Amino acid sequence: MENGELGQIYFGKRIHIKNQYANLIKRERREAMPSWKVDQYDFQPDHLKQEYASLGKGDFREPAYQVQQENGSRITELQYVDYRLQKGKKRLSGLPSSFADESGDVETLAVYLKDALSGLTVTLRYSVFPHQNVIVRSAEFVNKGKEHLVLRRALSCQIDLPDSHYDFIHFAGTWSRERHEVKRSLQPGIQRISSLRTESSHQHNPFIMLARPQTTEDCGDVYGFNFVYSGNFLDQIEVDQYGTSRVLIGINPEEFSWNLASGATFQTPEAILSFSSQGKNKLSQQLGHFYLNHLVNPRFSNADRPILVNNWEATYFNFNEDKLLSIASKAAELGIELFVLDDGWFGHRDDDTTSLGDWFVDRTKLPDGLAHLADKIHGLGLKFGLWFEPEMISLESDLYQEHPDWMIAAPHRTLTPGRNQYVLDFTRDEVVDTIFKMMAKCIEEARLDYIKWDMNRCITEMYSSNLSPSEQLEMPHRYILGVYKLYQRLIDHYPNVLFESCASGGGRFDLGMMYYAPQAWTSDDTDAAERILIQYGTSYGYPLSMMGAHVSAVPNHQTGRVTPFETRGHVAFFGDFGYELDITKLSKEDQKQIRAQVNLYKKYRRLFQYGNFYRLESPYEGEKNVASWEVVNDDQTLAIAARYQLLNRPNPSYLRLYVRGLNPDQLYRVNGSQETFYGDELMNAGYFVDQVLDINKPITGSADFSSRLFIIKAVK
Ligand code: GLA
């Protein structure tokens, strides 16, 4: 802009490149607005599209950053200095981040800005991933002056959209009820979702969308924003007096500040921006492709994820080696591939009051040790996985006896337990180091193939005796950096271990975690009916390979609901499939079903884990009584759709299933049908779903929560 600050022109569907865009930076002089005199021109920052705005120079919207100088002033004037364009995208150091090598067509633009008075420089980075319509943004602050500066806010991205005719769609919930879709139209003022729990949280997921009101799954404009971070975040949209919308994404400025001594650097995490003019399905698909190609650990991003059985809901804390082996051998017999030993194998943990931090085997439950159990499990032809909660400590633990000062606590304040446990101060290197060593020993002893990394409480009394008073507000971010440090170290040392992240289910279902742990336990709620809502909501922002989904017992342990075994399978298929129930106690009929489900999943695993996902009918709309979705392979020769009916309806309306993503000119069969159907026929005219019951056979059991699977294969 005329004053040397960076303006914003446009973000949306691709338009032609020109040398100048006078039309896009046109402005009118409005009364009663502060203005900068730039030459003869009245320049009023309060209604300009800015690239990375500060507060205090006439733009009164909430800013992207704020830096306090030694004299207390928060005024800065970042001026454009230079730019550089490079091939590829380098990873950030110490933070989860996107990546691309220099051989492809990903490019990274760095724009250098400087505040001459303080010596602060800011580098704004933009990496463009043209195949997935994604831009990754971050900001790097360097103090090149002599003063001590304090960063009071440092967001990763600001977008000033020129109007506010959007629906703000986000994903809210709580424990066991994560990521339910919420939709509201933008209104004047600030609307935001955020977390101050030092976890991305069950309550609000960092992924949001702004969609034109008429946008559907298959057409219309929609922006998606996500954040590669697992701690306190802010997603904010401010609709101003002239109806523009400022989007801010980044670390929550509340409970944050950072000392930037002379010479010091601060790098923000990355924000992910994406746009689709072809509706929300397309947006979700391009984001999924982006994560798998440019964010998730390449060793696993395209690998078959194993079918697992987890003993948590089968035994809780009450097990011994025989019990575990009986589950494992049944699992092997049924074709399951990975046995996961959940909470309760360490210290002397018989309930949730003890032993966190004591990552050595409980000899009363497993007298022959981990290696022995692991050998037996590997001997059955299964992979072996173990549960850890590395960031936690129980008062009743050896670790606490030895290092009471390693627990997060505020001086002279009472403690606030969560699930009877406390949190380790991961800002301390010696803590990260000790936990690494304990985990490493287990990994080697048991030759672990998989780790479930849990995190079952958010953090209170945020204070570290390791930090000076002026550094205390750095703690929430430093804590997360400590978590990332441990993850990175484990992955560097044990690259073949598959991590699944978990935080009381889906409390840390975020891209920061996904960088290290390619899959996450979607929710502690395993009830099929509830899972439809959770997985449907989650699918807007995350691909199926990131969602752990298990078949569990009925009555369901979270809701008490009884759903058919078949439906539980049909829901869990759409994710990283597994079982979470005592499979040794099942009827022959149920065991037969498991074998059939396992075989079907193995046959179509690539599709279920990596296919292009389409939401067809939303459980959040209409009567809220049905849902359907579909996955299609890349060459459009195979698709599987599922339709779920929550409450049964007598004598229902005629039903046609309208699928998506097929080749219009290709002939297909549905569930091995005699008749063949063109792709365009199935997508536009629909597939007739037969629902008529035999009137002479009254329904005896419950017909609620039924489901149907449609396997659609191209005719060769
Ligand atoms: C959390 C997890 C569960 C289970 C328990 C064990 O709630 O989400 O899956 O691992 O902890 O305590």
Side-chain angles (χ1 to χ4, degrees):
M1 298 191 287
E2 296 89 324
N3 68 332
E5 301 222 358
L6 211 59
Q8 200 168 83
I9 297 178
Y10 171 77
F11 171 49
K13 190 172 182 176
R14 187 189 292 262
I15 55 175
H16 276 95
I17 296 174
K18 296 199 300 187
N19 286 335
Q20 50 90 359
Y21 293 90
N23 173 52
L24 291 176
I25 55 170
K26 267 198 186 142
R27 49 193 181 234
E28 292 165 344
R29 191 193 141 77
R30 297 296 170 103
E31 286 315 311
M33 302 277 265
S35 58
W36 303 340
K37 288 267 181 220
V38 182
D39 297 331
Q40 302 306 312
Y41 198 89
D42 260 349
F43 184 88
Q44 300 174 314
D46 206 21
H47 53 100
L48 298 185
K49 288 183 283 182
Q50 301 225 48
E51 187 59 20
Y52 201 66
S54 66
L55 183 70
K57 296 278 301 173
D59 179 345
F60 295 98
R61 292 165 288 185
E62 290 209 349
Y65 77 99
Q66 192 172 47
V67 178
Q68 184 168 315
Q69 295 129 70
E70 276 177 5
N71 65 4
S73 163
R74 279 101 48 227
I75 309 303
T76 45
E77 295 166 311
L78 281 181
Q79 305 271 314
Y80 169 77
V81 180
D82 200 3
Y83 78 92
R84 204 164 141 205
L85 196 59
Q86 276 184 309
K87 281 285 201 190
K89 160 71 174 67
K90 293 204 173 61
R91 292 173 197 253
L92 301 178
S93 130
L95 279 168
S97 58
S98 57
F99 49 83
D101 62 30
E102 288 163 26
S103 62
D105 45 12
V106 174
E107 285 185 303
T108 299
L109 169 71
V111 181
Y112 305 102
L113 310 171
K114 181 162 186 171
D115 177 44
L117 191 63
S118 66
L120 170 78
T121 69
V122 177
T123 305
L124 300 179
R125 290 207 171 76
Y126 306 77
S127 301
V128 179
F129 296 78
H131 291 300
Q132 295 95 15
N133 261 331
V134 162
I135 298 177
V136 172
R137 283 186 60 171
S138 72
E140 182 190 23
F141 293 77
V142 184
N143 182 354
K144 292 196 176 152
K146 296 213 167 57
E147 283 188 48
H148 186 99
L149 304 176
V150 177
L151 267 179
R152 292 163 52 100
R153 64 160 59 203
L155 296 173
S156 300
C157 144
Q158 170 187 333
I159 292 285
D160 283 353
L161 294 172
D163 70 70
S164 53
H165 308 303
Y166 292 100
D167 285 333
F168 173 27
I169 303 169
H170 56 101
F171 301 90
T174 182
W175 173 75
S176 243
R177 194 154 45 74
E178 296 91 336
R179 291 175 297 287
H180 281 217
E181 182 186 339
V182 178
K183 182 155 113 181
R184 49 186 153 142
S185 59
L186 287 181
Q187 299 295 331
I190 287 174
Q191 33 255 285
R192 60 193 284 181
I193 56 150
S194 62
S195 168
L196 285 172
R197 296 166 192 269
T198 330
E199 60 177 5
S200 45
S201 89
H202 300 86
Q203 286 71 16
H204 294 288
N205 191 271
F207 174 66
I208 60 168
M209 293 186 285
L210 291 179
R212 291 296 189 194
Q214 64 276 16
T215 295
T216 65
E217 287 294 354
D218 303 308
C219 54
D221 289 358
V222 52
Y223 294 92
F225 300 92
N226 209 340
F227 191 34
V228 188
Y229 193 59
S230 313
N232 296 340
F233 75 91
L234 172 72
D235 290 349
Q236 174 168 305
I237 300 113
E238 178 169 359
V239 177
D240 78 350
Q241 58 198 326
Y242 299 116
T244 74
S245 304
R246 169 166 296 176
V247 182
L248 294 174
I249 310 284
I251 293 179
N252 198 329
E254 191 73 42
E255 284 289 292
F256 170 84
S257 91
W258 202 268
N259 290 282
L260 211 59
S262 175
T265 296
F266 180 82
Q267 169 66 54
T268 72
E270 291 181 343
I272 309 288
L273 290 64
S274 192
F275 173 81
S276 156
S277 59
Q278 296 160 57
K280 290 176 269 183
N281 272 329
K282 177 80 181 175
L283 182 84
S284 304
Q285 288 171 13
Q286 65 197 25
L287 283 171
H289 288 148
F290 169 73
Y291 302 149
L292 293 174
N293 285 294
H294 298 291
L295 187 85
V296 170
N297 182 353
R299 191 172 290 250
F300 293 104
S301 58
N302 192 30
D304 284 0
R305 309 292 171 79
I307 303 177
L308 66 80
V309 63
N310 177 307
N311 74 309
W312 178 240
E313 289 196 13
T315 65
Y316 294 101
F317 295 103
N318 183 17
F319 57 81
N320 55 26
E321 195 184 77
D322 284 347
K323 180 71 211 172
L324 298 179
L325 288 176
S326 70
I327 298 176
S329 51
K330 180 56 77 183
E333 183 191 319
L334 296 173
I336 293 169
E337 299 158 324
L338 161 67
F339 176 81
V340 180
L341 172 51
D342 210 277
D343 195 354
W345 59 269
F346 52 91
H348 56 99
R349 187 160 160 97
D350 296 323
D351 56 37
D352 63 16
T353 60
T354 78
S355 304
L356 293 168
D358 293 349
W359 302 110
F360 44 81
V361 75
D362 180 352
R363 292 267 169 185
T364 49
K365 284 183 195 162
L366 302 171
D368 298 320
L370 266 189
H372 183 260
L373 174 67
D375 283 350
K376 294 253 166 169
I377 288 176
H378 285 134
L380 288 165
L382 294 172
K383 292 177 190 274
F384 183 42
L386 212 51
W387 180 95
F388 290 89
E389 205 180 349
E391 298 148 75
M392 297 294 151
I393 184 164
S394 307
L395 290 184
E396 201 183 317
S397 65
D398 293 0
L399 190 67
Y400 183 72
Q401 289 306 312
E402 284 160 37
H403 299 288
D405 55 324
W406 283 5
M407 187 172 92
I408 295 178
H412 317 299
R413 300 284 174 195
T414 50
L415 293 166
T416 310
R419 204 196 187 199
N420 300 305
Q421 68 196 48
Y422 303 87
V423 187
L424 284 167
D425 184 352
F426 260 52
T427 71
R428 302 170 80 119
D429 280 342
E430 65 273 32
V431 172
V432 172
D433 207 47
T434 303
I435 300 297
F436 169 77
K437 286 187 184 132
M438 283 196 260
M439 291 179 75
K441 193 154 176 279
C442 299
I443 295 173
E444 288 178 21
E445 236 176 70
R447 292 180 292 120
L448 292 183
D449 304 290
Y450 162 107
I451 287 178
K452 178 174 173 188
W453 176 323
D454 210 339
M455 195 277 191
N456 280 316
R457 60 158 297 176
C458 22
I459 307 183
T460 53
E461 287 82 39
M462 183 60 80
Y463 184 91
S464 174
S465 52
N466 190 38
L467 300 172
S468 70
S470 73
E471 290 168 330
Q472 289 301 327
L473 280 172
E474 297 182 7
M475 189 176 169
H477 183 55
R478 284 189 184 277
Y479 176 89
I480 296 293
L481 294 180
V483 172
Y484 292 154
K485 203 181 280 179
L486 179 57
Y487 252 122
Q488 191 60 58
R489 225 168 130 184
L490 288 166
I491 286 168
D492 289 345
H493 279 79
Y494 306 105
N496 294 325
V497 174
L498 169 66
F499 283 85
E500 176 151 353
S501 87
C502 175
S504 300
R508 264 201 321 210
F509 204 100
D510 61 64
L511 297 179
M513 285 291 121
M514 300 300 180
Y515 177 79
Y516 306 99
Q519 57 191 66
W521 184 222
T522 313
S523 173
D524 272 352
D525 198 329
T526 53
D527 170 61
E530 290 292 315
R531 268 298 183 120
I532 291 169
L533 292 165
I534 294 168
Q535 291 175 208
Y536 202 97
T538 306
S539 78
Y540 283 101
Y542 303 89
L544 297 184
S545 66
M546 287 184 175
M547 294 186 221
H550 303 169
V551 171
S552 65
V554 289
N556 175 268
H557 293 195
Q558 292 75 38
T559 59
R561 186 174 289 134
V562 176
T563 56
F565 205 95
E566 185 180 48
T567 299
R568 282 174 270 153
H570 287 176
V571 175
F573 281 159
F574 291 81
D576 301 313
F577 188 61
Y579 292 89
E580 182 130 358
L581 74 171
D582 193 343
I583 52 175
T584 64
K585 288 194 182 142
L586 295 181
S587 65
K588 282 266 168 310
E589 181 46 37
D590 282 355
Q591 290 188 32
K592 224 169 96 193
Q593 290 218 48
I594 293 193
R595 199 168 284 125
Q597 287 176 345
V598 165
N599 288 341
L600 187 126
Y601 190 78
K602 283 182 179 167
K603 186 162 176 201
Y604 299 114
R605 178 182 347 228
R606 298 294 309 170
L607 185 62
F608 283 129
Q609 294 179 350
Y610 297 106
N612 296 307
F613 188 73
Y614 291 85
R615 288 170 297 274
L616 304 178
E617 283 176 287
S618 173
Y620 293 100
E621 281 166 15
E623 284 186 71
K624 302 189 173 151
N625 195 34
V626 295
S628 57
W629 55 41
E630 181 200 12
V631 270
V632 185
N633 68 359
D634 282 340
D635 56 14
Q636 300 171 303
T637 53
L638 181 65
I640 299 184
R643 186 175 193 277
Y644 310 95
Q645 173 85 37
L646 298 177
L647 297 184
N648 195 20
R649 290 270 186 274
N651 199 12
S653 313
Y654 274 44
L655 173 62
R656 278 179 182 277
L657 185 74
Y658 299 89
V659 292
R660 294 277 171 267
L662 301 181
N663 175 352
D665 304 320
Q666 170 70 49
L667 278 173
Y668 296 89
R669 289 185 207 281
V670 180
N671 290 339
S673 56
Q674 277 290 311
E675 187 178 350
T676 56
F677 311 88
Y678 279 105
D680 57 5
E681 185 185 346
L682 289 173
M683 294 190 287
N684 299 304
Y687 177 74
F688 183 80
V689 183
D690 195 350
Q691 302 181 92
V692 172
L693 292 167
D694 185 343
I695 198 166
N696 299 316
K697 284 193 204 139
I699 302 175
T700 48
S702 167
D704 291 336
F705 314 112
S706 61
S707 63
R708 305 275 288 266
L709 214 59
F710 305 91
I711 301 178
I712 304 166
K713 285 186 185 168
V715 176
K716 292 228 174 73

